[in-house]
């Protein structure tokens, strides 16, 4: 059995009702407003491929793994893939950034806005510092 190809990232057209379109266009309800026990908000599978080391500019520490499961033997792909231009004479200011296609996908399904990210050790650094320096 061969591995499944990655999901398509391009535009997808479907027959959807006007109410579904209204619910999927900004501004979206917050995570707390939209998530219920019977219908939770979940990360889309592609988000599990994003690896972020929290150091440096966005262009370098964010990578995309080749599969949802971490494999240290596989080199990840860059999230930022450089800049491009139709004209080779353009200077760096006129070039457009190229991001990995996953950057165009929503982070969650159902879509929410805003999404608050929290990193426990960073949120409580002062407590941990005080504990170590009594």
């Amino acid at each position: 059995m061969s591995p499944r190809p990655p999901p398509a990232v391009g535009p997808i057209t479907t027959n959807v009702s006007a109410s579904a379109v209204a619910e999927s266009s900004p501004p979206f309800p917050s995570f707390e407003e939209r998530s219920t026990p019977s219908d939770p908000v979940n990360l889309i599978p592609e988000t599990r491929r994003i690896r972020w080391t929290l150091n440096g500019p966005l262009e370098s520490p964010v990578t995309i793994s080749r599969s949802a499961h971490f494999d240290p033997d596989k080199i990840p792909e860059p999230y930022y893939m450089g800049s491009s231009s139709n004209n080779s004479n353009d200077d760096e200011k006129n070039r457009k950034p190229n991001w990995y296609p996953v950057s165009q996908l929503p982070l969650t399904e159902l879509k929410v806005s805003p999404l608050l990210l929290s990193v426990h050790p960073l949120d409580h650094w002062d407590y941990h510092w005080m504990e170590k320096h009594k």
Side-chain angles (χ1 to χ4, degrees), residues 106-127:
L107 186 61
T108 61
E109 191 58 46
L110 309 160
K111 294 178 183 174
V112 296
S113 175
L115 188 64
L116 179 63
L117 175 68
S118 177
V119 179
H120 184 79
L122 297 178
D123 291 343
H124 302 285
W125 70 267
D126 53 344
Y127 170 80

Side-chain angles (χ1 to χ4, degrees), residues 47-53 61-65 67-70 76:
T47 58
R48 300 190 190 289
R49 296 176 50 209
I50 300 171
R51 303 287 182 243
W52 192 346
T53 59
V62 180
T63 58
I64 309 297
S65 66
S67 68
H69 303 288
F70 179 71

